[in-house]
Amino acid sequence: MAELTYREAVRGALREEMLRDQRVILMGESITGYGGSYAVTKGLVEEFGPKRVMETPIAEAGIVGFAVGAAMGGLRPVAELMTVNFALLALDQIVNSAAKFHYMFGGQWSVPLVVRTVSGFGQLGPTHSQTFEGWFASVPGLKVVMPATPADAKGLLLAAIRDPDPVIFIEHSLLYSTKGQVPDDDGLEVPIGRAAVVREGDDITLVSYSRMLLQALHAAEVLEREDGVSCEVIDLRTLRPLDYPTMVRSVGRTHRLVVCGEDWRTGGFGASLLSELQDRSFDDLDAPIARVAMRDIPLPYSRRLEQVLIPGSQQIVDAVRRMS
Amino acid sequence: MSEIELVSGPDAPGGELMAGVASVLGAPAAERRRSLRQLPQGLALRLYTAMARLRAFDERAVILQRQGTIGTYPPYYGEEAVQAASVLALDDRDWLFPTYRQNAVATLRGCPPESPLLLWRGNPAGWYDVHRYRTAPICVPVATNYPHAVGAAWGSRLRGESTVALAFGGDGSTSPGDFHEACNLAAVVVAPVIFLVTNNQWAISTPVQQQTKVTRLADKATAYGIPGVRVDSFDVFACYEAVAAAAARGRAGLGPTLIEAVGYRLGPHGTADEPSLYRDPERARLWAGMEPLGRAGAAMVDAGLTTLEALEEIRESAVAEMLLAGDQLEAVPVPELEEIADRVHLSTPWTLSPDHLREPSYPRAG
């Protein structure tokens, strides 16, 4: 084990897989000289050269479309979209090309493509602080991964690059500098589609992913200390395909569930998850499923207002207390 | 509007739009004969045969649509020269990225015509072998295939292959961002790709003048720092030369080429379209004389390369082939839901397995 930051873990996965597999190429805006807007790809162009670490024009649809063609032609492209907000420009290529070719041509032509992008906020304003994982997770043909820890970031990215289908890999800007133990084993994958029970508990299940996992863990500590409530915390890690059985098993013991997300309440990822869970676990539930989500307001630039709006551990604690 | 004005209009066959386009068949008779006689042995007949087969496929498909055997279909009547020339001017190892309008190009590389016909019947048996025929699945969202071709071309180059990729499109496809992004990206990374834009002047009912203020679409190439060439889209020999030159350029590591094949959409946009509702049928009649199969055949006979009888035989054989293909369709079993449900992903994770998703969604406790 080694202690790495989330950023180092992502970079490590890219580097290891590029060394292992000549077909892996990176492409994106400012990923060479600048090392990417979050410095994830720093140093890689020096090591692998400009053909495998490609600087591209500002053209998200072009980048993803290019990557789809390169993937269909036998490469393993990892396209970086600077933030998930810019992925909107590439939605057609992601949804109508990447997610469809395998299905529409009988599996002859798969698209082993990874789109790496970043969610997050921090005084970035309404157009640069959005979270769209729910949109991607609603599309058959895509896999959507959102790691919360350095170990998962590395293991899931390795799995994503090796996966034969298109994977949307969403990092979180506020996690890049967090640290964690990462296994030394070269090439150790974390399987796509499996959630992790990060903290065991008896009274209530908190389901979360990405940055909200840290908030849920903090809320669990507060609730244990101040209320004597024992929370089980699940990190989904993959949003599509979603590991319902792990959640159903947990709710079967705790009988209470809070779904925690950072995206907007209306149509957010948690809404679909909640609907499915109330169907699968209705008889196990002792209370309506609660949800922590962002209010339906675009995040403002003001630091104070941003802090008021962004869901965190306090909202989770409040939600649990309302249920008890 | 009088007939005189129509004939002299800038977008008429002899008008400003076609002025200066590369053309073999448009040359004076002596020059035209010389050009045709200098073609490599058998090439003219191979081009003619390819066009005749495309034509017969297209006509059969329209009939099958009218009979209800296949669904909505996008005819390409008049575009046979562009398509046949592209396939024959490239090596069979080169990649084609067709749209719906070029839905049958794989048949020129040995794909059975039943395949694309079954595509229009919504049958999985229509999934032709994309690797064998080096022909990507047809793209229906306009212009999305351009960046795919750039990526595939780049990938080939990275692996040290000398293949090029050719993406088809129409005048309307030069408006979406994907076209611009693909041309720009291809130029910057020096990808061996050919953007073959058939300017048939109509995007469904939108005339090209409302698509762009550029009169010559090839001029757009200037903005990307790549060559833009214009060619008569009804002239299979000129199209062949243009594609061959662009392919040679790509193989030599000189990057992409934009080819504008200029002409007119002789037929409707699709089988659900009626062009007389939005454009002057008289104008369409003026262009009908440019129809590429008859035009090429007449010139070949004139140059002494073949006889009318030989050409008729080629056409009849193509018609028979496509009639037979059309007759096979009904016998192919219609697909079951499981066949498509299992194909959403290549690797289906256990959480998406059919058992896991069965309705009611999950066995409840107790």
Side-chain angles (χ1 to χ4, degrees):
Chain A
M1 298 287 252
E3 187 173 67
L4 296 181
T5 63
Y6 187 95
R7 175 185 290 107
E8 288 164 343
V10 174
R11 185 188 301 138
L14 292 172
R15 187 173 172 273
E16 266 183 33
E17 206 55 13
M18 289 184 81
L19 286 170
R20 200 188 67 82
D21 186 346
Q22 291 292 312
R23 297 171 303 170
V24 178
I25 61 168
L26 312 185
M27 61 191 68
E29 299 156 6
S30 291
I31 69 164
T32 59
Y34 196 57
S37 51
Y38 292 98
V40 170
T41 54
K42 217 175 183 61
L44 294 180
V45 71
E46 288 80 0
E47 185 171 359
F48 296 101
K51 281 191 171 171
R52 291 186 69 197
V53 184
M54 283 177 67
E55 187 75 24
T56 67
I58 302 176
E60 284 76 11
I63 292 168
V64 176
F66 178 100
V68 166
M72 294 192 304
L75 295 179
R76 294 265 166 168
V78 181
E80 175 176 313
L81 300 181
M82 210 175 260
T83 83
V84 77
N85 303 279
F86 308 160
L88 302 189
L89 292 151
L91 267 184
D92 183 51
Q93 284 291 352
I94 292 171
V95 176
N96 279 326
S97 293
K100 295 294 189 297
F101 275 122
H102 177 76
Y103 173 74
M104 287 176 69
F105 254 64
Q108 296 184 63
W109 215 344
S110 61
V111 182
L113 154 73
V114 179
V115 174
R116 276 186 51 242
T117 187
V118 185
S119 240
F121 39 80
Q123 284 205 285
L124 297 169
T127 62
H128 282 52
S129 309
Q130 301 166 101
T131 43
F132 293 123
E133 62 270 17
W135 291 7
F136 296 113
S138 74
V139 178
L142 295 180
K143 292 169 183 169
V144 181
V145 174
M146 267 187 106
T149 67
D152 283 346
K154 184 174 180 194
L156 280 164
L157 185 51
L158 289 173
I161 298 173
R162 293 170 193 169
D163 196 279
D165 292 311
V167 179
I168 309 296
F169 190 91
I170 307 177
E171 296 153 26
H172 199 294
S173 63
L174 297 190
L175 292 177
Y176 277 128
S177 297
T178 59
K179 289 180 177 170
Q181 292 295 317
V182 178
D184 289 327
D185 306 33
D186 279 355
L188 193 69
E189 282 181 40
V190 172
I192 289 174
R194 290 201 190 256
V197 177
V198 176
R199 176 189 171 115
E200 293 189 349
D202 302 319
D203 300 330
I204 192 157
T205 300
L206 307 178
V207 165
S208 62
Y209 56 91
S210 192
R211 169 189 161 272
M212 281 305 267
L213 172 69
L214 308 192
Q215 303 298 314
L217 286 170
H218 185 244
E221 278 169 32
V222 171
L223 288 161
E224 179 97 70
R225 194 172 60 236
E226 297 182 7
D227 302 56
V229 172
S230 162
C231 293
E232 179 144 302
V233 179
I234 293 176
D235 178 5
L236 294 175
R237 307 195 289 189
T238 299
L239 306 192
R240 181 187 188 91
L242 192 49
D243 186 352
Y244 284 113
T246 294
M247 288 185 274
V248 168
R249 266 197 305 277
S250 178
V251 172
R253 293 194 300 103
T254 64
H255 309 295
R256 282 183 171 78
L257 175 64
V258 180
V259 178
C260 313
E262 250 175 24
D263 55 347
W264 285 309
R265 179 166 292 275
T266 303
F269 177 73
S272 132
L273 191 160
L274 190 154
S275 136
E276 189 68 20
L277 258 293
Q278 73 85 25
D279 184 27
R280 293 179 190 234
S281 298
F282 187 81
D283 295 339
D284 283 332
L285 287 164
D286 286 347
I289 301 171
R291 184 153 164 244
V292 173
M294 184 87 76
R295 286 176 65 185
D296 285 349
I297 297 174
L299 265 190
Y301 193 77
S302 151
R303 187 169 187 76
R304 194 183 77 78
L305 293 179
E306 197 178 52
Q307 282 169 350
V308 170
L309 280 169
I310 292 163
S313 59
Q314 189 56 50
Q315 282 89 338
I316 300 173
V317 169
D318 292 345
V320 170
R321 286 178 178 157
R322 277 196 301 272
M323 288 174 91
S324 309
Chain B
M1 203 181 276
S2 75
E3 179 125 344
I4 299 296
E5 281 168 329
L6 279 174
V7 175
S8 61
D11 52 347
E16 201 178 296
L17 188 75
M18 297 290 279
V21 301
S23 179
V24 172
L25 297 177
E31 193 184 324
R32 185 186 66 222
R33 287 181 198 124
R34 195 165 52 244
S35 299
L36 292 185
R37 286 171 190 151
Q38 281 169 355
L39 289 173
Q41 180 73 27
L43 177 60
L45 275 176
R46 287 199 296 126
L47 286 166
Y48 186 90
T49 305
M51 283 199 292
R53 291 183 67 233
L54 286 173
R55 171 71 54 83
F57 177 98
D58 193 51
E59 288 178 347
R60 179 54 38 188
V62 171
I63 292 168
L64 290 166
Q65 190 277 333
R66 298 297 187 227
Q67 290 173 340
T69 305
I70 65 171
T72 308
Y73 173 81
Y76 51 75
Y77 177 71
E79 205 187 283
E80 297 89 345
V82 173
Q83 298 181 23
S86 296
V87 177
L88 270 66
L90 295 176
D91 290 344
D92 281 352
R93 296 291 299 161
D94 294 328
W95 280 104
L96 300 172
F97 284 79
T99 77
Y100 48 87
R101 190 78 66 204
Q102 300 81 28
N103 67 88
V105 283
T107 63
L108 299 184
R109 286 182 166 176
C111 172
E114 296 90 302
S115 283
L117 287 173
L118 282 163
L119 271 186
W120 297 112
R121 199 169 150 75
N123 195 301
W127 295 322
Y128 54 76
D129 189 329
V130 294
H131 295 283
R132 183 169 170 193
Y133 306 119
R134 303 283 264 190
T135 304
I138 61 168
C139 267
V140 180
V142 170
T144 54
N145 57 325
Y146 292 129
H148 302 163
V150 183
W154 171 259
S156 304
R157 206 178 142 218
L158 210 58
R159 287 194 304 273
E161 300 168 3
S162 63
T163 52
V164 303
L166 180 148
F168 293 98
D171 40 287
S173 79
T174 62
S175 294
D178 288 46
F179 170 77
H180 160 73
E181 296 188 15
C183 288
N184 190 51
L185 195 50
V188 169
V189 303
V190 200
V193 63
I194 302 167
F195 303 105
L196 209 176
V197 176
T198 299
N199 178 3
N200 66 23
Q201 304 189 44
W202 292 93
I204 309 185
S205 65
T206 307
V208 68
Q209 294 81 4
Q210 284 180 269
Q211 202 72 245
T212 174
K213 293 306 282 180
V214 172
T215 308
R216 296 173 298 270
L217 297 181
D219 287 352
K220 289 176 185 271
T222 309
Y224 310 114
I226 64 176
V229 300
R230 304 182 80 232
V231 63
D232 180 345
S233 77
F234 297 124
D235 182 339
V236 73
F237 306 105
C239 289
Y240 182 91
E241 280 178 13
V243 174
R249 199 173 171 276
R251 274 188 245 287
L254 298 173
T257 301
L258 171 63
I259 300 175
E260 177 193 6
V262 192
Y264 190 85
R265 197 185 73 214
L266 298 182
H269 166 72
T271 45
D273 178 34
E274 178 43 64
S276 67
L277 294 174
Y278 52 82
R279 66 182 198 185
D280 188 346
E282 197 53 44
R283 175 58 48 101
R285 266 193 286 281
L286 285 174
W287 282 95
M290 302 282 279
E291 172 280 305
L293 185 65
R295 194 175 172 217
M300 286 161 66
V301 172
D302 172 70
L305 299 185
T306 184
T307 62
L308 281 174
E309 293 72 26
L311 296 183
E312 193 178 348
E313 210 168 291
I314 289 171
R315 290 197 308 274
E316 278 174 4
S317 157
V319 168
E321 179 194 2
M322 300 309 164
L323 184 65
L324 190 67
D327 287 347
Q328 317 292 316
L329 308 186
E330 306 258 11
V332 180
V334 294
E336 299 293 333
L337 185 58
E338 286 70 26
E339 283 183 64
I340 59 166
D342 288 348
R343 287 187 165 111
V344 175
H345 296 274
L346 174 52
S347 81
T348 303
W350 64 285
T351 32
L352 282 182
S353 71
D355 276 353
H356 179 63
L357 293 176
R358 189 183 296 139
E359 297 290 342
S361 44
Y362 199 77
R364 288 177 183 163

